[in-house]
Amino acid sequence: MKVSSKILCLIFLIVFIRCKDDSKKDSEKNIKKNHPNIVIIYADDLGFGDVSSYGSTELLTPNIDRIANEGIKFTNGYATSPTCTPSRYSLLSGTYPFRTKRAQVLPGNAPLLFELGKQTLPSMLQSAGYKTGVVGKWHLGLGDENMDWNGKIAPGPLEIGFDYAYIMASTNDRVPSVYVENHKVVGLTKEDSIFVSYQKNFDGEPTGRENPELLKVHPSHGHDMSIHNGISRIGYMKGGKSALFTDEDMNDDFLRESIKYINKNKDNPFFLFYALHQPHVPRIPHPRFVGKSGLGPRGDVIVEADWAVGQFLDELDKLGLSENTIVIFSSDNGPVLDDGYKDDAVTKIGKHTPRGGLRGGKYSLFDAGTHVPFMIRWKGTIKPGVSDALVSQMDFTASFAALTDQNNMTPDSKNILDAFLGKSSKGRNGLILGQNNIMAYREGDWALIPPHKGGGIVNKWVNIESGRDTIYQLYNLKEDRAQQHNLAEINTEKLEALKQALEQEKK
Ligand code: NG6
Ligand code: CA
């Protein structure tokens, strides 16, 4: 090579490296573009009427109310399903639960529910430069068919877009009663491995069925298998004593980890899915909250959760992040009183109405199954107010993709950012509620429940109307919030229109 061509090559190389460097800087610039932090605080089984800003007078939630009063309170906010797993699945995947057969209440040893490689809310935000974390209840499956709780627990949250996870392995009423941090059970030692079965008990291990004398809380239905902390649960487990969580401390554990997470990530845009375990069963408040509500443990754990929300909001203030953080508060499904333990939820309810005048509750296709408290605060950006727009948790992915210049690649999430930010009174057009073949449809002022085979009128274990019937049901929620008048035979035009709209939305 001649000297001149050598010099030419060198110049070319320098130019190339500089260009590459510039484009790297550009993409870093894009990422650092002051996107707001996003926090979703997600209660478990909290009803539309369980929050004082939504009308509760017997049970006060001053801290949750702060989010509603300083932000937008949605009067038509929905989870997609009346149970936990499908609602959480659609929130994180932007996909209707009915598209995935397994998207229903999962046992504690179920493999991860998500299909790897598909966009999720956290993976979308990762692409926008966010640090993403989940703390609290998961209930979306972990690992694969051959999961060993003593080894590496994967795939899980880290494989679907979270950078950090500190989660309850399943639910507080399902074994294993442990937390998982990233890929490992927290506090597990080599000398004391943990074993889990949903088929049969381990030799010599007590159960709630056979050893009620060991219980501090007794089951009312189900929940009579392995005992831990004086509470029998669903499923069997053995060993792992040093790893087992203490129900009384769970609220403090999740709060501590959430606060740690935002402190660690305060210099990045971050996303935190802070999934509270209250007021799901077993309802075991820390002793400092016992008796605080006058409504028994169900009320007490709501007071406890409300306190944690207050601590979390205070921390955002302390870090100077409140103006740059979107805080969402909602619930995964509607309320239930007796959900399997004798915990006075029914006897001490007094005048409190968890469903807040709606019909049904958890597990129900009636409105209270999915119509939940739903509020969004973004101090200094969102003008406080009330919105009647139809909004769903499934729409976070597309809406926050729009906010952060990303593409939504999920099938069902809709960009309703303007409704979320209070700039528009129009949310989504229609919304399918439920999972698999058990569905209802909400559009405008209307709710449609197509006929269902079987399914009792009242789910007798929990004493909640299932909403399922063998005929079409059509309700005008504006005029008839409590769904007392089935208009299917009177307003056949509306019925036909909604039947078609439901079919269209399913596509
Ligand atoms: C039910 C449980 C209930 C609760 C629910 C899931 C029995 C008898 N009932 O099967 O206690 O765990 O599943 O709740 O076992 S959810 O909020 O996580 O969806
Ligand atoms: Ca739930």
Side-chain angles (χ1 to χ4, degrees), residues 83 85-86 97 100-107 113 139 435-436:
T83 51
T85 304
T100 308
K101 211 163 165 232
R102 282 183 59 225
Q104 41 190 319
V105 176
L106 289 174
L113 179 57
H139 206 186
Q435 64 282 319
N436 292 321

Side-chain angles (χ1 to χ4, degrees), residues 383-435:
K383 203 164 134 245
V386 176
S387 169
D388 296 334
L390 178 63
V391 295
S392 116
Q393 297 157 1
M394 193 169 64
D395 299 322
F396 293 144
T397 305
S399 305
F400 294 137
L403 180 73
T404 57
D405 306 325
Q406 302 296 305
N407 292 321
N408 166 48
M409 290 181 284
T410 69
D412 300 309
S413 187
K414 296 247 158 71
N415 174 8
I416 53 166
L417 183 64
D418 283 348
F420 283 150
L421 301 184
K423 291 184 196 158
S424 165
S425 56
K426 177 103 186 74
R428 58 158 51 226
N429 219 17
L431 177 67
I432 297 174
L433 303 163
Q435 64 282 319

Side-chain angles (χ1 to χ4, degrees), residues 44-45 83-84 88 137 280 332-333 362:
D44 190 1
D45 298 1
T83 51
C84 180
R88 282 158 207 264
K137 176 170 174 176
H280 196 281
D332 67 341
N333 53 252
K362 184 174 179 179

Side-chain angles (χ1 to χ4, degrees), residues 56 150 167 229 238 245 306 334 367 449 467:
S56 157
N150 304 291
I167 54 173
N229 193 21
K238 180 187 158 189
F245 57 60
D306 181 68
D367 207 34
I449 311 179

Side-chain angles (χ1 to χ4, degrees), residues 9-27:
C9 265
L10 204 68
I11 292 172
F12 179 76
L13 204 72
I14 289 168
V15 169
F16 177 75
I17 289 171
R18 289 211 54 162
C19 281
K20 238 187 125 188
D21 212 43
D22 279 354
S23 76
K24 199 173 143 211
K25 265 190 209 139
D26 275 347
S27 69

Side-chain angles (χ1 to χ4, degrees), residues 49-50 56-59 293-299 337 343-355:
D50 276 322
S56 157
T57 50
E58 306 299 304
L59 179 63
S293 68
L295 301 175
R298 183 174 186 279
L337 295 181
D343 62 4
D344 288 336
V346 176
T347 52
K348 295 207 169 143
I349 193 70
K351 288 193 196 128
H352 179 57
T353 54
R355 65 171 78 111

Side-chain angles (χ1 to χ4, degrees), residues 220-339:
S220 60
H221 55 275
H223 304 98
D224 58 358
M225 296 165 234
S226 281
I227 301 173
H228 159 57
N229 193 21
I231 303 157
S232 49
R233 325 248 170 179
I234 307 171
Y236 301 103
M237 68 179 172
K238 180 187 158 189
K241 297 282 183 232
S242 57
L244 302 182
F245 57 60
T246 303
D247 303 76
E248 287 80 349
D249 293 334
M250 192 174 282
N251 182 62
D252 291 332
D253 292 338
F254 292 157
L255 174 64
R256 181 192 66 238
E257 294 305 323
S258 295
I259 285 184
K260 243 177 23 199
Y261 178 79
I262 61 170
N263 273 277
K264 203 163 163 220
N265 292 288
K266 62 180 187 307
D267 299 325
N268 279 290
F270 62 75
F271 166 60
L272 173 64
F273 183 42
Y274 177 12
L276 305 168
H277 64 290
Q278 301 106 329
H280 196 281
V281 294
R283 298 161 180 141
I284 315 290
H286 188 274
R288 62 188 197 281
F289 294 100
V290 171
K292 283 290 183 279
S293 68
L295 301 175
R298 183 174 186 279
D300 293 348
V301 298
I302 294 175
V303 170
E304 177 186 64
D306 181 68
W307 172 83
V309 170
Q311 295 295 302
F312 185 82
L313 296 178
D314 287 351
E315 189 70 15
L316 286 177
D317 282 345
K318 216 167 79 191
L319 294 171
L321 293 177
S322 291
E323 302 240 316
N324 194 32
T325 303
I326 296 176
V327 180
I328 298 168
F329 180 89
S330 198
S331 173
D332 67 341
N333 53 252
V336 55
L337 295 181
D338 180 345
D339 204 15

Side-chain angles (χ1 to χ4, degrees), residues 71-135:
I72 299 193
K73 179 177 95 170
F74 291 93
T75 61
N76 286 307
Y78 281 82
T80 53
S81 166
T83 51
C84 180
T85 304
S87 285
R88 282 158 207 264
Y89 172 74
S90 67
L91 184 155
L92 291 174
S93 70
T95 307
Y96 273 125
F98 74 81
R99 300 202 193 281
T100 308
K101 211 163 165 232
R102 282 183 59 225
Q104 41 190 319
V105 176
L106 289 174
N109 60 350
L112 182 72
L113 179 57
F114 295 84
E115 202 180 312
L116 298 184
K118 288 212 168 154
Q119 189 188 45
T120 62
L121 172 61
S123 77
M124 182 280 292
L125 290 170
Q126 260 179 348
S127 315
Y130 280 66
K131 292 285 177 211
T132 56
V134 51
V135 173

